[in-house]
């Protein structure tokens, strides 16, 4: 028994390689930050995994959906064994298996006008938007940019195939992305705009779904309730998610230097 305990104590930290790159102080700062992530689908699920593997200890994940068969091609926690379970609960189990000491809060709830105030966005250091619904996404952007929290948003990852087109830019400078264009139209129509600049992950690749479930609508109609069905592949959604996580990690490192 004593030998087993000695071996366990001598094992390197799971964040040893991260510490070699970022330094101990940055790793400690990451462990102290509180992050809330809205949407844990094709983009958000990979973002959550990257955050926890990078050293974020306090993470709240928000999504109201259940795992379904159509999620399996691109969502981290979606397998034939998890169909029918709450996405946030399955993802939390995986994240806790990565770091049992992490503080992972899973909220199976929707973010909308009725529930927005209950999330207390000002209590977090970082807010990450991976929401599908145009209406709810616009609301989160407006609320988060009124606060002093770090905020990053994913634009549309559907109907993309070439990862070399994935970019990071300030929202007003995003080009070639239909979702960003729809959001700007909505803000203009409603007479409300984001109160400060914020960075987005997007792709300027323009392609189209070719499968039998293609129900693409116009930009004016897109995402009023739930995003329309479009073709999506994992290597694109995962890179979007990893890039969102990278923006958080880089900001923590940069603000401590």
């Amino acid at each position: 028994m004593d030998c087993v305990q000695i071996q366990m104590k001598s094992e390197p930290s799971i964040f040893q390689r991260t510490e070699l790159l970022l330094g101990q102080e940055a790793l400690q700062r990451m462990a102290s930050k509180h992050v809330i992530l809205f949407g844990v689908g094709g983009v958000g699920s990979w973002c959550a995994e990257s955050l926890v593997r990078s050293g974020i200890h306090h993470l709240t994940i928000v999504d109201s959906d259940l795992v379904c068969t159509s999620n399996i091609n691109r969502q981290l926690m979606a397998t034939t064994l998890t169909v029918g379970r709450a996405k946030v609960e399955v993802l939390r189990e995986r994240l806790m298996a990565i770091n049992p000491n992490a503080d992972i809060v899973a909220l199976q709830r929707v973010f909308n006008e009725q529930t927005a105030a209950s999330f207390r966005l000002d209590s977090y250091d970082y807010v990450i938007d991976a929401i599908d619904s145009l209406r709810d996404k616009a609301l989160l952007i407006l609320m988060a940019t009124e606060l002093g929290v770090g905020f990053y948003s994913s634009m549309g990852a559907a109907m993309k195939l070439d990862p070399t087109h994935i970019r990071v830019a300030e929202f007003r400078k995003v080009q070639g992305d239909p979702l960003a264009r729809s959001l700007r139209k909505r803000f203009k129509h409603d007479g409300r705009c984001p109160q400060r600049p914020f960075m987005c992950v997007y792709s300027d690749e323009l392609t189209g779904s070719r499968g039998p479930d293609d129900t693409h609508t116009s930009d004016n109609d897109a995402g009023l309730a739930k995003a329309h069905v479009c073709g999506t592949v994992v290597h694109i959604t995962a890179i979007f998610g990893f890039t969102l996580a990278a923006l958080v990690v880089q900001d923590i490192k940069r603000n401590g230097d």
Side-chain angles (χ1 to χ4, degrees):
M1 184 69 179
D2 291 339
C3 292
V4 173
Q5 291 177 340
I6 292 173
Q7 289 176 354
M8 290 178 64
K9 290 180 180 179
S10 64
E11 289 179 356
S13 164
I14 61 175
F15 301 112
Q16 181 189 39
R17 297 298 180 92
T18 309
E19 183 178 344
L20 288 174
L21 178 62
L22 301 180
Q24 186 179 41
E25 291 186 5
L27 201 58
Q28 290 174 343
R29 286 196 301 275
M30 279 201 288
S32 70
K33 301 299 182 183
H34 288 69
V35 180
I36 187 167
L37 167 62
F38 290 92
V40 294
V43 173
S45 59
W46 298 99
C47 178
E49 168 126 344
S50 184
L51 288 170
V52 171
R53 287 189 185 273
S54 297
I56 293 293
H57 282 225
H58 305 286
L59 176 64
T60 298
I61 51 178
V62 183
D63 198 302
S64 62
D65 287 348
L66 305 179
V67 176
C68 63
T69 304
S70 63
N71 301 150
I72 294 175
N73 81 314
R74 69 198 182 283
Q75 298 186 13
L76 177 68
M77 64 285 164
T79 71
T80 56
L81 299 179
T82 61
V83 170
R85 296 186 59 195
K87 289 181 180 180
V88 290
E89 292 297 337
V90 181
L91 183 57
R92 182 182 184 277
E93 290 175 4
R94 178 177 173 89
L95 299 178
M96 292 301 297
I98 294 169
N99 182 7
N101 295 318
D103 169 30
I104 310 295
V105 178
L107 300 179
Q108 189 184 1
R109 295 163 56 190
V110 66
F111 176 90
N112 58 27
E113 290 182 350
Q114 290 71 43
T115 65
S118 67
F119 289 100
R120 297 183 60 242
L121 297 183
D122 58 353
S123 65
Y124 296 91
D125 298 291
Y126 292 92
V127 175
I128 303 177
D129 159 41
I131 292 177
D132 289 333
S133 163
L134 181 66
R135 179 186 294 114
D136 299 339
K137 191 179 198 74
L139 177 62
L140 179 59
I141 290 172
L142 290 173
M143 291 184 63
T145 57
E146 290 176 351
L147 305 172
V149 301
F151 176 64
Y152 302 106
S153 179
S154 171
M155 297 294 105
M159 298 189 294
K160 313 294 183 183
L161 192 61
D162 186 350
T164 66
H165 282 263
I166 297 174
R167 307 279 189 265
V168 175
E170 200 280 316
F171 176 67
R172 293 168 299 180
K173 297 181 179 180
V174 172
Q175 297 181 350
D177 183 278
L179 179 54
R181 186 165 61 249
S182 294
L183 284 165
R184 286 192 286 259
K185 288 181 179 178
R186 186 177 186 89
F187 292 141
K188 183 177 181 180
H189 177 270
D190 294 346
R192 298 181 63 194
C193 294
Q195 294 300 297
R196 60 181 170 88
F198 62 97
M199 303 302 290
C200 301
V201 181
Y202 74 102
S203 170
D204 59 9
E205 179 186 13
L206 296 178
T207 181
S209 291
R210 294 176 173 83
D213 294 326
D214 181 11
T215 56
H216 179 64
T217 60
S218 70
D219 288 340
N220 292 333
D221 300 327
L224 291 181
K226 182 70 175 177
H228 48 268
V229 177
C230 295
T232 319
V233 290
V234 68
H235 65 269
I236 297 295
T237 62
I239 294 173
F240 267 63
F242 289 150
T243 305
L244 284 171
L247 291 171
V248 173
V249 173
Q250 290 170 341
D251 190 68
I252 294 173
K253 176 67 168 63
R254 180 170 55 248
N255 288 336
D257 289 340

